[in-house]
Amino acid sequence: MDTTETPLPEPKEGLSESPEQGTFYATTPIFYVNAEPHIGHAYTTILVDVVTRFHRLKGNDTYFLTGTDEHGEKVAKAAAAAGRTPQQYVDTISAQFRNTWNQMGIGYDEFIRTTEERHKLVVQEILQRVYDNGDIFYGEYSGLYCVGAERFVTEKELVDGKCPDSDQPPEYRSEANYFFRMENYRPWLRETIGRNPDLIRPDRYRNEVLAILREPIGDLSISRPASRVPWGIPLPWDEDHVCYVWFDALINYYSALKSQGLEGRYWPAVNHFIAKDIVKPHGVFWPTMLKAAGLPLYKHLNVHGYWLTGEQKMSKSLGNVVRPLSLQQKYGNDAFRYYLLRDMTFGLDANFGELALAERINSDLANDLGNLLNRTLGMVGRYRRGIVPAAGTLEPVDEQFIAHQTELPERVGRAFERVQFDRAMEAILDGVRATNRYISDTEPWQLAKAEESASRLDTVLNTAVEALRCASILLDPVMPAKMSELREQLGIDQIPFTLGHAAQWGLVPPGTVTRPGEPLFPRIDLKALETELSAPEEPPLKHKDEIIIDEFAKLELRVATVLSAEPHPDADKLLVLKVKLGPEERTVVAGIRQHYQPEELVGKRIVIVANLKPAKLRGVNSQGMILAAEDAEGRLAVVTFDRDMRDGSVVR
Ligand code: ME8
């Protein structure tokens, strides 16, 4: 779509107080394509997926944007290091991000790449607008620049001489750039954040931004000379400069909508989700840029902490990353999502541990939820031939239980609103545990013994099935596949569900036929996992210098048949083999006597280095060498063939 056709909306004052009710637009950061995705990226992306699904369940009009950040020095450097052109390089890594999200079932609505034409057009339009308003000037700059974080840093910010965001030392830079008059917008931004306590949340990050704003923030250098950094979007009024990568990247949140004519529908009902590494660009640069461009401010900036491994931030440069797909495959996508949401308190750091993940799956999913489903299906099967009965007269214990359960959607909704995702998960599991207690207290197995308690048993079974139905709705955003399986097993997969249905009781039609299946969450053997995890890691292979194919071609490898094998008369580690290579016969001495009985070898087809210079080994002339492998335990095996092969043939 041609983005130049519709002009940007006319400037509006300040923050849009309440975006259209019922509209929810959520974004992840667009990730740098300087390395492949890890758990940190997966967390933000899964989180946005869950939150968007939750809002859709509420009946909201939702939109979910993710993508990749492809310009800048950092990416250009990574491409050069990989021996590729920037475009080839970004195409490959961007596709890896997209594939990872697809394989993980992330339901994004749009994937934006900053090298796309549609994005460039909107960036240039906004730049031109800010320039025309007089908010951009040309000037000289010198200071410390961090390529890792792609921003200038001040002396004061440095920790042990390194940039606090990237942990890399900055370099001194002095050059002429264009500047955005960011400082002019500081009073407005301070006042706006002051007036909107939940604009940036949790509070610690709001305070962090307010602290930055207490002192002059300076003007933002928004260009780089194209002669030094050609990999970027040219400034519309001066082609010798390209746009600074952050100014370009932040605009993605708007360009993705604008390029499809969706900005009127979803802007500014936007919730950004990021980690604490990029609070300053999102909390300071972006709002002032929006203000200068005459666009209304986002609704919330939601900031989470880091996933750590062994107390360290998981990061591409540190190389301590956990690849999301391998865990997703090992433990199942839904269980993995649940763990990430449950075990991180939003805003704080959390330690990632595979054992903790397995323990969480066992306790919450296999024991509490899986067990509730199994015992309920088991009892409906045993006592009511697999058919869900209608409830009889409710007793106070039932009424109390139902009241608690039907309040859950409200509690969970509040937790979601307050970005307390671990509490939301806990509230749902609390409902599951309460259901298990309800069953233990009402003892259906006792009720089943006497005919006169049949109606009471109907009530208990019906109540348990209803509670499972509601739990499956509340957990649907985080575990969509497993919850749909759960509803299938209960036989209620045809009943429509929204969040509202989780607050209503009695929606399972009596007579519903259950269809018990495999356990939803098989228990993980923690002992076995501990052993697996404590096994020492294999040391990395030590490789020799690379060779070219011509060097390899100098070797003459041939198939040989062993005609005879005898112990060497003077050496107890050597065998003397007579081998046949087509028309030739040769004698080969091999140091394999401790690993093979001579007669085991006779008749075997093996591989000989046929052009090795002959050598005398303890008095016997050896005309070649046989190929064999030896492992770390000292076991040895000669190379043979998996089908019959004529001797003398060349091995390549
Ligand atoms: O900063 N724990 O991209 P990026 C939790 N391109 N989350 C983590 C994490 C960790 N250990 N490591 C990374 C950029 N993340 C810019 C953004 S937006 C206009 C431009 C997640 O590839 C988290 O969401 O360095 C963090 O903010 C983001 O990845 C940084 O991704």
Side-chain angles (χ1 to χ4, degrees):
M1 175 176 284
D2 182 359
T3 50
T4 52
E5 273 174 18
T6 14
L8 296 170
E10 278 313 304
K12 276 187 209 155
E13 258 319 290
L15 182 82
S16 151
E17 289 301 342
S18 107
E20 288 60 45
Q21 272 293 318
T23 308
F24 183 79
Y25 167 40
T27 68
T28 70
I30 46 169
F31 302 110
Y32 283 130
V33 286
N34 62 336
E36 44 186 290
H38 61 69
I39 297 263
H41 308 117
Y43 174 71
T44 320
T45 310
I46 286 171
L47 184 67
V48 174
D49 189 61
V50 172
V51 177
T52 312
R53 285 175 196 264
F54 188 79
H55 277 266
R56 205 171 316 134
L57 205 56
K58 273 168 80 172
N60 288 341
D61 175 15
T62 62
Y63 199 77
F64 169 5
L65 176 72
T66 187
T68 42
D69 187 355
E70 307 188 1
H71 289 125
E73 294 182 49
K74 177 160 155 161
V75 171
K77 276 193 173 172
R84 320 268 304 270
T85 67
Q87 192 63 53
Q88 285 170 337
Y89 182 76
V90 299
D91 285 350
T92 309
I93 310 255
S94 176
Q96 272 179 21
F97 271 90
R98 195 195 283 256
N99 289 342
T100 303
W101 304 152
N102 290 347
Q103 286 177 51
M104 295 181 70
I106 302 292
Y108 56 83
D109 292 293
E110 185 63 67
F111 189 101
I112 182 119
R113 302 182 53 190
T114 54
T115 49
E116 286 177 86
E117 207 48 38
R118 59 172 178 154
H119 171 72
K120 293 184 191 170
L121 287 171
V122 178
V123 170
Q124 290 187 324
E125 202 185 340
I126 288 185
L127 277 166
Q128 187 69 53
R129 180 168 196 152
V130 178
Y131 185 67
D132 291 346
N133 288 347
D135 273 334
I136 290 176
F137 65 95
Y138 194 63
E140 200 55 53
Y141 189 89
S142 45
L144 296 170
Y145 190 76
C146 171
V147 177
E150 292 276 24
R151 68 177 181 88
F152 282 101
V153 287
T154 58
E155 289 278 359
K156 228 170 56 190
E157 279 182 279
L158 300 184
V159 182
D160 298 332
K162 292 179 182 164
C163 161
D165 296 348
S166 70
D167 207 26
Q168 293 169 15
E171 32 191 276
Y172 182 78
R173 291 261 167 99
S174 175
E175 63 192 19
N177 292 162
Y178 285 92
F179 288 84
F180 163 50
R181 295 188 194 280
M182 189 162 71
E183 173 62 21
N184 281 359
Y185 292 96
R186 186 165 64 100
W188 164 80
L189 184 55
R190 272 186 89 175
E191 194 265 324
T192 303
I193 297 175
R195 208 159 29 88
N196 295 279
D198 64 353
L199 180 71
I200 300 174
R201 56 193 185 177
D203 266 354
R204 56 173 56 217
Y205 301 108
R206 173 176 189 260
N207 294 336
E208 189 180 315
V209 174
L210 284 173
I212 296 175
L213 295 176
R214 268 199 287 278
E215 294 180 22
I217 50 175
D219 294 325
L220 183 66
S221 152
I222 55 131
S223 72
R224 300 288 177 265
S227 55
R228 188 170 64 75
V229 188
W231 189 237
I233 301 177
L235 300 187
W237 62 89
D238 183 349
E239 297 252 317
D240 292 338
H241 285 79
V242 299
C243 181
Y244 164 50
V245 62
W246 268 108
F247 201 95
D248 152 6
L250 288 160
I251 293 174
N252 91 86
Y253 300 132
Y254 186 72
S255 71
L257 296 183
K258 178 78 164 59
S259 61
Q260 301 183 89
L262 289 173
E263 73 279 19
R265 181 158 159 198
Y266 294 113
W267 196 272
V270 54
N271 266 268
H272 295 309
F273 288 83
I274 60 167
K276 64 185 185 183
D277 51 345
I278 49 180
V279 167
K280 188 171 178 186
H282 284 81
V284 178
F285 303 174
W286 184 221
T288 54
M289 284 167 62
L290 284 168
K291 179 73 176 160
L295 292 168
L297 190 50
Y298 50 73
K299 183 152 189 246
H300 295 296
L301 177 62
N302 306 293
V303 186
H304 62 76
Y306 290 149
W307 281 99
L308 309 173
T309 45
E311 308 296 324
Q312 264 191 321
K313 181 195 176 194
M314 214 178 277
S315 92
K316 293 177 266 204
S317 42
L318 291 173
N320 60 343
V321 301
V322 181
R323 298 207 153 59
L325 277 181
S326 63
L327 287 168
Q328 178 233 10
Q329 276 152 9
K330 188 164 174 188
Y331 295 102
N333 196 33
D334 284 6
F336 175 57
R337 286 162 65 101
Y338 175 80
Y339 163 75
L340 290 181
L341 263 85
R342 174 63 188 80
D343 277 33
M344 176 176 261
T345 297
F346 195 83
L348 303 181
D349 293 347
N351 234 312
F352 183 86
E354 193 170 334
L355 202 59
L357 161 64
E359 279 168 359
R360 180 60 76 188
I361 293 175
N362 275 359
S363 68
D364 289 14
L365 303 182
N367 286 0
D368 295 338
L369 179 60
N371 188 28
L372 173 61
L373 176 67
N374 279 353
R375 70 201 293 210
T376 305
L377 286 170
M379 290 188 295
V380 172
R382 262 194 312 283
Y383 308 140
R384 292 296 178 260
R385 298 190 321 279
I387 294 167
V388 181
T393 316
L394 296 183
E395 293 191 357
V397 56
D398 311 317
E399 277 164 354
Q400 245 174 27
F401 172 74
I402 294 169
H404 176 254
Q405 295 290 310
T406 47
E407 273 171 13
L408 276 180
E410 177 81 32
R411 261 174 75 195
V412 174
R414 260 200 316 273
F416 264 86
E417 284 307 323
R418 296 177 185 164
V419 291
Q420 294 169 334
F421 305 106
D422 57 336
R423 290 208 196 166
M425 297 305 117
E426 192 45 30
I428 306 171
L429 259 287
D430 191 38
V432 168
R433 286 182 208 115
T435 314
N436 275 322
R437 272 197 310 276
Y438 168 82
I439 293 175
S440 311
D441 292 349
T442 51
E443 299 185 309
W445 44 91
Q446 297 296 351
L447 301 172
K449 287 181 185 162
E451 194 46 46
E452 61 273 20
S453 49
S455 160
R456 187 72 203 122
L457 177 59
D458 284 350
T459 306
V460 170
L461 294 179
N462 180 285
T463 305
V465 172
E466 281 291 338
L468 271 163
R469 176 187 63 79
C470 295
S472 90
I473 297 177
L474 295 174
L475 285 171
D476 197 77
V478 64
M479 299 192 286
K482 288 291 174 188
M483 291 309 102
S484 131
E485 250 179 75
L486 184 149
R487 285 188 292 270
E488 269 171 37
Q489 295 203 15
L490 284 178
I492 56 168
D493 42 317
Q494 299 304 320
I495 309 182
F497 65 93
T498 65
L499 197 62
H501 291 125
Q504 290 171 40
W505 211 252
L507 299 185
V508 177
T512 293
V513 182
T514 57
R515 301 191 293 266
E518 294 292 309
L520 285 190
F521 303 99
R523 273 189 69 84
I524 298 158
D525 181 344
L526 293 180
K527 280 245 147 34
L529 181 63
E530 263 176 81
T531 315
E532 180 194 321
L533 294 176
S534 61
E537 265 189 41
E538 271 195 78
L541 298 178
K542 286 207 187 85
H543 295 290
K544 294 190 175 168
D545 289 344
E546 274 181 7
I547 58 166
I548 55 170
I549 189 90
D550 297 355
E551 289 172 282
F552 176 74
K554 286 186 185 162
L555 283 180
E556 183 188 335
L557 303 174
R558 287 193 187 269
V559 181
T561 306
V562 181
L563 298 176
S564 67
E566 303 285 341
H568 189 290
D570 293 326
D572 52 8
K573 288 192 178 155
L574 300 179
L575 285 180
V576 180
L577 310 180
K578 287 254 178 303
V579 299
K580 179 170 160 303
L581 284 77
E584 283 179 30
E585 269 189 30
R586 293 193 186 194
T587 301
V588 176
V589 179
I592 57 174
R593 185 152 162 201
Q594 284 161 329
H595 304 277
Y596 284 94
Q597 296 299 327
E599 56 276 14
E600 271 182 86
L601 292 163
V602 177
K604 273 202 186 349
R605 297 271 199 299
I606 60 174
V607 181
I608 297 284
V609 184
N611 61 339
L612 192 69
K613 195 169 175 193
K616 271 218 159 69
L617 295 175
R618 297 278 182 110
V620 180
N621 196 33
S622 180
Q623 304 160 301
M625 190 175 85
I626 73 170
L627 293 194
E630 189 173 2
D631 65 17
E633 284 78 43
R635 287 177 309 180
L636 186 138
V638 297
V639 175
T640 58
F641 292 87
D642 64 357
R643 66 184 59 166
D644 196 30
M645 185 48 59
R646 186 196 292 241
D647 53 45
S649 306
V650 171
V651 179
R652 287 177 295 179

